[in-house]
Amino acid sequence: MAEERIIGKKLLHYSSLPSTMEVAAGEARRGGEEGTVVWADEQLSGRGRKGRGWVSPRGGLFLSIVLRPTLPQLPSLLMLASVALVRVLGRLFGLTARLKWPNDVLIKGKKVSGVLVETSFRGEVLEYAIIGIGLNVNMDPERYPEISATATSLSRELGREVDLGQALEAFLEELDGLYGGLRLGRGVFEEWKGYLETLGQRVKVIGVGVEEEGVAQDVAPDGRLLLLRKDGQRVEVPAGEVSMFLWS
Ligand code: BTN
């Protein structure tokens, strides 16, 4: 028998918001149902990782999803969202997407989507997690100087506009299936790892109190990146608040 739907059972749709993250956090704090999706047509102060912004004009897909995972499930959330995106881009649009560790979805080396996971703890207890997903759908990244060199969109890749509602529904369904699997103990680590174009590359990773350079050798099941440094030492970098650059 099919599992009961969790993600997307409740969908809150807004024309415009500062950021879907705050509205989703408010829902979570008020005891909102697990799987509640906050969707905005545009964001006026969209948030990226590391305090950066997220360019969020109409035509893009901006979502935050309230989840109440267990602590051991937490590292898998980033993987589930990225894998769901890669699968849907392939199935619906025939686009081959790859991942740049830890959270960028790329098409031909340009970023089409980013995933953010924010959490709230009471002491050591995880209260909730919010997955934030931004997908460049029907937009021209060339119009935004801050992303024009590094980003792409579905309409740009396909040369036509796509049905945003269809993309939304397909993504939520895919993610719901994967989250149901996670609750039954089935993660997507191997699939996620298989999509990572980072492995084998020379990279520089910068995070809070971390700066490492080396060859990205492998990833651990909790998402940590295993780097081989020039001095021959192996170091592990958590997938938290880090930026990664190709190192030339
Ligand atoms: C990244 O920096 O790569 C992650 C970007 C995540 C952006 C999404 S858009 C929907 C949600 N609301 C936000 O303000 N940010 C996330």
Side-chain angles (χ1 to χ4, degrees), residues 49-50 75 78-79 100-103 192 203-212 218-227 234-244:
R49 292 168 67 252
K50 295 201 74 197
L78 204 60
M79 300 179 199
K100 179 175 137 193
W101 183 90
N103 75 323
W192 175 73
V203 298
K204 180 171 184 174
V205 181
I206 302 177
V208 183
V210 192
E211 184 165 336
E212 295 288 355
D218 203 356
V219 276
D222 64 1
R224 273 171 307 160
L225 184 68
L226 312 180
L227 281 188
R234 287 196 168 76
V235 288
E236 299 188 351
V237 189
E241 280 298 282
V242 293
S243 298
M244 208 208 37

Side-chain angles (χ1 to χ4, degrees), residues 30-49:
R30 284 192 294 279
E33 240 181 296
E34 178 167 58
T36 298
V37 176
V38 178
W39 168 32
D41 294 337
E42 70 169 356
Q43 298 185 118
L44 303 177
S45 349
R47 296 212 297 261
R49 292 168 67 252

Side-chain angles (χ1 to χ4, degrees), residues 19-21 43 46-49 54 63-64 103 111 114 133-134:
S19 163
T20 55
M21 295 307 279
Q43 298 185 118
R47 296 212 297 261
R49 292 168 67 252
W54 184 259
L63 304 174
S64 293
N103 75 323
K111 185 160 170 171
I133 298 122

